[in-house]
């Protein structure tokens, strides 16, 4: 069996994992961008119904997320990613035949379950093809493929819809995610420590589900950091467009995400090398500071240059801190528990995004955009303190013990 000690980072399976992830999240963010417009224009829905389509997807995704690790452990990574991917592709194509608001909401709700399993399984799979001494770099590039989807997806959807119908756009997006699914069959997926007791056997009486079967306690601390980080980031993900529109800068919002992605891409090689050579604290501390500075800058939004400069700081900050947190989570457990670790981390992160979007909306209505973004900057600084108290000191002690 190929091990992470004797492979190069840019190996065949690692590249296929990046391609699969990029195509998946290009589809996800393209659909996320275009659905509100589709709901209001073609289905005659309201802004509230558009929000419900996102909420239902998040609810189903979050609800199954804690169990995703257990499902992957018992079914196996290969079957999990290929079965979940196949059903996800089918529901992607089903968007072509939507004829009512209720059918859309039903599809979005069911779609979220399979998205959760699929994205959870992808992480331990790609981890098998990252050398042990380059985990920081490898996971950074993997998360970068997700962030590229943030830019490519919305740009593609908003461009294509100018020349064709929503039905044709949905067909194109479904083909994109289908191509991504093909890559899962080109990856030589490895299974680790799967015993007869782990794999589902219908002839053996089922034991009751224990807390340990669902939650990986070793990553609860880093998961809390992820939750708080996502809480602050929800102000950018959900409301930066509305903020720009209020400031009459909506036409420059697309460039904001491009600058965000480019900034992240430029620093990615150095961030990975620093993580691998000096440890996570050397990256996470400055990344939180950059993220907080970006939030402070955008709170004083007055022209497109302020918007773009804030994107530089947030691209470097958030774009670096998230893959580092995810890497810390998967390095905290043995390979057999990696699915549980990433499902626990993502569950907490998703809760931070969902709850943050709701609370930030209320906070903006009460205090306005500027105060909200300053509050988020303070939240990031607070998160840095929590990280230092709960995680950083423990990582330092572990590093000293290893020496």
């Amino acid at each position: 069996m190929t091990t992470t000690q004797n492979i190069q980072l840019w190996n065949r399976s690692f590249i296929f994992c990046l391609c699969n992830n990029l195509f998946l999240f290009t589809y996800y963010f393209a659909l996320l961008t275009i659905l509100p417009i589709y709901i209001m224009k073609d289905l005659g829905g309201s802004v509230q119904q558009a929000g419900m389509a996102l909420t239902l997807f998040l609810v189903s995704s979050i609800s199954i997320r804690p169990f995703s690790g257990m499902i992957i452990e018992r079914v196996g990574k290969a079957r999990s990613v290929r079965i979940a991917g196949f059903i996800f592709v089918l529901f992607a194509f089903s968007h072509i035949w939507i004829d009512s608001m209720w059918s859309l909401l039903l599809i979005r709700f069911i779609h979220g379950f399979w998205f959760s399993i699929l994205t959870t399984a992808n992480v331990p799979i790609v981890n098998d093809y990252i050398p042990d001494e380059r985990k920081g770099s490898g996971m950074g590039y993997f998360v970068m493929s997700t962030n590229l989807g943030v830019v490519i997806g919305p740009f593609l959807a908003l461009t294509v819809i100018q020349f064709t119908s929503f039905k044709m756009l949905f067909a194109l997006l479904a083909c994109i995610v289908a191509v991504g699914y093909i890559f899962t069959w080109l990856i030589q997926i490895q299974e680790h420590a799967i015993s007869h007791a782990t794999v589902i056997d219908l002839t053996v009486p089922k034991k009751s589900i224990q807390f340990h079967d669902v939650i990986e306690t070793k990553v609860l601390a880093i998961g809390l950091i992820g939750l708080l980080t996502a809480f602050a980031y929800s102000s950018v993900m959900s409301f930066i467009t509305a903020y720009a529109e209020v400031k009459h800068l909506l036409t420059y919002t697309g460039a904001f995400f491009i600058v965000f992605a480019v900034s992240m891409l430029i620093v990615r090689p150095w961030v990975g090398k620093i993580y691998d050579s000096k440890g996570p604290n050397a990256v996470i501390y400055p990344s939180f500071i950059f993220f907080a500075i970006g939030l402070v800058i955008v709170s004083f939004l007055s022209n497109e240059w302020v918007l773009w400069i804030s994107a530089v700081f947030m691209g470097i900050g958030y774009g670096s801190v998230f893959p580092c947190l995810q890497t810390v989570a998967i390095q905290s457990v043995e390979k057999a528990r990696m699915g549980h670790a990433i499902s626990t981390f993502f569950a907490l992160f998703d809760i931070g995004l969902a709850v943050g979007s709701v609370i930030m909306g209320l906070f903006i209505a009460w205090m306005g955009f500027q105060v909200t973004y300053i509050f988020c900057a303070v939240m990031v600084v607070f998160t840095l303190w929590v990280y230092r108290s709960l995680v950083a000191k423990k990582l330092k002690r572990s590093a000293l013990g290893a020496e």
Side-chain angles (χ1 to χ4, degrees):
M1 179 182 292
T2 302
T3 66
T4 55
Q5 283 81 10
N6 57 19
I7 59 174
Q8 298 296 317
L9 175 59
W10 292 101
N11 58 80
R12 178 176 176 270
S13 292
F14 178 71
I15 294 171
F16 286 153
C17 287
L18 295 188
C19 293
N20 168 46
N21 200 57
L22 173 62
F23 279 57
L24 173 63
F25 279 97
T26 295
Y27 168 82
Y28 172 75
F29 286 110
L31 203 63
L32 198 65
T33 301
I34 210 67
L35 271 183
I37 302 173
Y38 169 68
I39 288 170
M40 290 184 283
K41 284 190 174 182
D42 270 31
L43 297 183
S46 63
V47 176
Q48 289 78 11
Q49 288 175 317
M52 190 182 299
L54 172 61
T55 302
L56 283 175
F57 186 92
L58 286 173
V59 166
S60 60
S61 179
I62 292 172
S63 65
I64 197 66
R65 182 75 78 180
F67 301 95
S68 298
M70 181 180 67
I71 292 170
I72 294 165
E73 180 186 50
R74 296 189 177 185
V75 176
K77 289 181 292 186
R79 283 193 290 177
S80 295
V81 76
R82 288 165 183 165
I83 293 172
F86 178 73
I87 298 175
F88 188 84
V89 169
L90 287 182
F91 276 97
F93 278 103
S94 72
H95 283 73
I96 301 171
W97 293 281
I98 289 172
D99 58 2
S100 68
M101 189 66 212
W102 292 111
S103 59
L104 173 63
L105 293 177
L106 177 61
I107 287 173
R108 291 295 289 166
F109 182 72
I110 300 174
H111 219 181
F113 289 116
W114 301 104
F115 179 79
S116 179
I117 297 172
L118 190 57
T119 52
T120 301
N122 281 340
V123 176
I125 290 172
V126 72
N127 183 74
D128 286 336
Y129 295 97
I130 301 174
D132 289 340
E133 68 278 6
R134 298 203 63 187
K135 291 299 184 188
S137 298
M139 289 309 300
Y141 285 118
F142 181 72
V143 174
M144 188 175 68
S145 67
T146 299
N147 291 334
L148 285 176
V150 176
V151 179
I152 297 172
F155 177 79
L156 176 67
L158 293 172
T159 301
V160 171
I161 199 59
Q162 297 179 39
F163 305 101
T164 187
S165 65
F166 283 104
K167 300 294 184 184
M168 290 300 295
L169 175 60
F170 291 151
L172 173 63
L173 294 178
C175 289
I176 288 174
V177 78
V179 172
Y181 173 66
I182 292 173
F183 286 111
T184 64
W185 289 93
L186 301 177
I187 302 166
Q188 296 179 348
I189 300 175
Q190 303 173 17
E191 305 291 356
H192 294 283
I194 302 219
S195 64
H196 295 293
T198 301
V199 179
I200 292 177
D201 186 351
L202 297 179
T203 64
V204 178
K206 296 180 180 179
K207 65 175 183 177
S208 60
I209 297 176
Q210 305 296 319
F211 183 79
H212 188 66
D213 295 328
V214 179
I215 301 297
E216 177 51 67
T217 56
K218 292 180 181 178
V219 302
L220 287 178
I222 197 68
L224 174 62
I225 307 303
L227 184 152
L228 294 173
T229 304
F231 187 87
Y233 181 66
S234 68
S235 65
V236 178
M237 184 190 75
S238 301
F239 300 107
I240 193 68
T241 303
Y243 187 24
E245 185 175 21
V246 169
K247 295 291 185 177
H248 307 290
L249 297 169
L250 185 60
T251 54
Y252 303 105
T253 309
F256 169 88
F257 289 104
I258 293 174
V259 173
F260 183 102
V262 170
S263 301
M264 176 191 62
L265 286 169
I266 290 174
V267 302
R268 183 66 256 159
W270 289 278
V271 168
K273 288 179 181 178
I274 294 171
Y275 183 103
D276 292 328
S277 61
K278 297 185 178 180
N281 293 343
V283 176
I284 291 176
Y285 282 148
S287 296
F288 272 126
I289 293 171
F290 269 84
F291 187 23
I293 291 173
L295 290 166
V296 171
I297 292 174
V298 82
S299 70
F300 294 98
L301 183 61
S302 57
N303 57 58
E304 64 271 23
W305 288 104
V306 175
L307 184 66
W308 295 338
I309 292 172
S310 72
V312 171
F313 279 88
M314 284 190 274
I316 295 172
Y318 176 80
S320 299
V321 76
F322 177 71
C324 289
L325 295 178
Q326 182 174 301
T327 306
V328 171
I330 65 174
Q331 288 183 318
S332 301
V333 299
E334 58 276 13
K335 287 186 176 181
R337 292 287 297 175
M338 200 172 295
H340 295 78
I342 205 63
S343 65
T344 300
F345 177 80
F346 275 163
L348 291 169
F349 185 85
D350 290 345
I351 290 171
L353 278 181
V355 175
S357 296
V358 174
I359 293 179
M360 291 303 167
L362 296 173
F363 207 80
I364 288 170
W366 178 39
M367 298 296 292
F369 285 100
Q370 184 176 40
V371 175
T372 299
Y373 280 104
I374 291 176
F375 168 76
C376 288
V378 174
M379 274 289 303
V380 171
V381 175
F382 170 74
T383 304
L384 176 56
W385 176 80
V386 176
Y387 171 80
R388 183 177 182 275
S389 302
L390 297 183
V391 181
K393 292 180 178 178
K394 182 178 179 181
L395 290 174
K396 188 174 181 180
R397 286 196 299 269
S398 298
L400 291 174
E403 293 175 0

